Amino acid sequence: YDPQAAADFYNQRPILVLKRILKLALLTGAFNTGILFDWLVLGKLLGKGEDYSALQNAEPRRAKESLMLCQQLGPTFIKLGQALSI
């Protein structure tokens, strides 16, 4: 791995970098917004004091979403997901 070669490669391709950043922001932003919705709206506002029950109820669905998210983000994130699952 040559950090300078990687920097040179991506410095010559700013559109590619911007597209990747936007894709990451869109995909992870939607996922994180869903988790925040589960906790804040369903848990805090509608949960009657049970802060984490909405998160626990949504856990299986969010786990499937996180798997799909890792697949959409590519091999690096799949490896990250594998490392986190250990």
Side-chain angles (χ1 to χ4, degrees):
Y1 173 72
D2 183 3
Q4 187 58 48
D8 293 341
F9 179 85
Y10 288 109
N11 284 335
Q12 295 174 4
R13 295 163 177 84
I15 301 296
L16 178 69
V17 172
L18 182 62
K19 284 173 53 177
R20 183 63 174 167
I21 290 171
L22 289 174
K23 182 178 180 179
L24 287 170
L26 177 69
L27 292 173
T28 58
F31 180 75
N32 291 334
T33 301
I35 291 175
L36 183 63
F37 178 82
D38 289 345
W39 175 71
L40 184 62
V41 175
L42 299 180
K44 290 278 190 181
L45 299 178
L46 303 175
K48 299 175 186 166
E50 296 178 15
D51 294 345
Y52 300 105
S53 64
L55 284 174
Q56 291 170 344
N57 294 338
E59 208 170 74
R61 179 173 40 92
R62 295 292 178 203
K64 290 176 186 175
E65 288 176 5
S66 67
L67 176 61
M68 288 175 31
L69 179 61
C70 284
Q71 291 171 343
Q72 290 173 336
L73 291 173
T76 301
F77 288 90
I78 292 173
K79 283 294 181 191
L80 179 63
Q82 289 171 341
L84 291 173
S85 70
I86 297 175

